[in-house]
Amino acid sequence: MSGALAVEMPDFSPAGALPVRRPLGKRRNGDGDGEVDPLLPVPELAPAPKPWKGAPIVAALICVAFLMLQMLPATHYRHPADPTRTWIPIRQEPDQGESGKEVEEVDAREFVTGIKSTSIDLFVCTDEKDLRPLVVVINSTLANTRHTQRIRFHIITTESQREAWLSKLKALFPLAAIDMVSEKIDFEEIGNHVFYRKDSKAREALTSPYNFLPFYLPRMFPGMQRIIYLDSDVVVQGDIEELFNTDLEDHPVAAVEDCSQIFGSYFNFDLLHRIQSREASESTPWIPSQPFDPSACIFNRGVLVIDPRKWIEQNSTEAIEWWLDEFHQAQKPLYKYGVSQPPFLLALYNHYKKLDTAWNTRGLGRAEFSEAERDYMKKLYSKRPPRRPFVSPNTEHSKILHFNGRFKPWNRDSSVEQPPSLCGSRSEDCARLWWAYISPNVSDSLKQ
């Protein structure tokens, strides 16, 4: 037979040798002539790596550790209503010490501030017939507070609108804790001390007993650890829990100091000096031994943090009532431009904790500066502002906006060309900051 004999190659090499896997595809020979040799074997494959002998043991130990962790008691939880899903520590049952007395667990916040992680009791007192201001207070507080489940809103309003208001508020805020205070309020007692004088240049509407109720809250709720009081014309832009945790440093109350207004603008100091020389004694401990300072800064009562126990110990309500009676009996007005604010200033003089100014950016319902305020603004910004409009340049950093004044956002026409007050670095209409917390539909449904 002519030509080369075709010899069939076995699939495996002779016995005793390792098998060689045939190629799956065609491979070229080494002659470089481009021909394909289908019988050319591929190189031997590297053996598979051997696992570490201790790996199964380590894996088993890790699984056991995870199982043991599942058996430990829970230390934190997340409230389902908290949009931030923050982990909250679970307070365990108190342990028994060696002496048999209970030893309480104290978390870090309680250790620093001395305040236990209880509810945040927030009060608003109003006889306003329009519910919208209260809706904005509640909505802005909930929108900017981290742990909303701690907040308890206590509303004091007229008996005639109590039920209707509560029904509407529950519909708007179904998850919020809101109650209408039904404790008996002695309006007659309050009225015995409130007197209006035309020569005081104050608005008669400010003589409403609801304007004085904040001073009676510690008597009504002496068992509360802290009371936060807010006027109904505020917008809360900060976390109210931060305000609640303020260290009062043994004072009965904390308030924001405002040095653009001073005692000299409010009070008749000739009368004050005569009262001091006549009445200073142990029976009137609220009268300072030193004369009142005309240059002392005022502190606004629109945002208060109250320690009920200290307030009662220092007879703060009695002191306010005493100064109200002095105002009533004086031949000339002892103070002007206010009704509830001046006696509060006199009674708590040198007995209050100063809050950061961001907690009460006030005057946003006004249309103009006083001359004293213009002088103060010149000291701060090296430029005396025009009398109109009222300008508040730092509202972006404010934690509470206070719309005290005649021009309430809900009462004025927002289409007015020139707004009465301007806010922030962009000088926008202050009312827009209030309207951001109530929709047009809700406003229309609640409008009287």
Side-chain angles (χ1 to χ4, degrees), residues 327-443:
F327 173 77
H328 185 184
Q329 297 164 10
Q331 292 183 348
K332 295 181 180 180
L334 175 60
Y335 45 79
K336 54 187 178 181
Y337 306 125
V339 178
S340 63
Q341 173 81 358
F344 170 74
L345 295 175
L346 293 173
L348 277 302
Y349 182 79
N350 286 339
H351 293 289
Y352 67 96
K353 162 77 174 183
K354 298 177 186 177
L355 289 174
D356 188 279
T357 55
W359 285 110
N360 191 346
T361 300
R362 54 98 205 154
L364 306 186
R366 293 172 52 191
E368 61 184 28
F369 289 106
S370 67
E371 291 304 311
E373 288 171 329
R374 295 176 70 194
D375 293 339
Y376 181 76
M377 294 287 281
K378 184 178 180 180
K379 291 180 183 178
L380 290 181
Y381 302 104
S382 302
K383 184 179 180 181
R384 199 166 190 258
R387 189 174 182 85
R388 290 172 175 264
F390 186 90
V391 177
S392 185
N394 298 318
T395 51
E396 289 99 339
H397 308 291
S398 299
K399 296 178 180 179
I400 291 183
L401 306 174
H402 192 180
F403 289 84
N404 57 314
R406 297 176 184 271
F407 299 95
K408 306 297 185 185
W410 58 92
N411 285 339
R412 74 177 181 86
D413 185 358
S414 58
S415 64
V416 175
E417 290 185 8
Q418 178 60 48
S421 57
L422 301 176
C423 284
S425 56
R426 295 181 297 176
S427 297
E428 64 176 328
D429 185 354
C430 294
R432 291 184 180 180
L433 302 176
W434 188 90
W435 283 102
Y437 290 96
I438 187 169
S439 69
N441 289 339
V442 172
S443 176

Side-chain angles (χ1 to χ4, degrees), residues 10 78 83 90 249 251 260 400 432:
R78 291 192 298 190
I90 298 175
E249 299 176 356
H251 292 297
S260 69
I400 291 183
R432 291 184 180 180

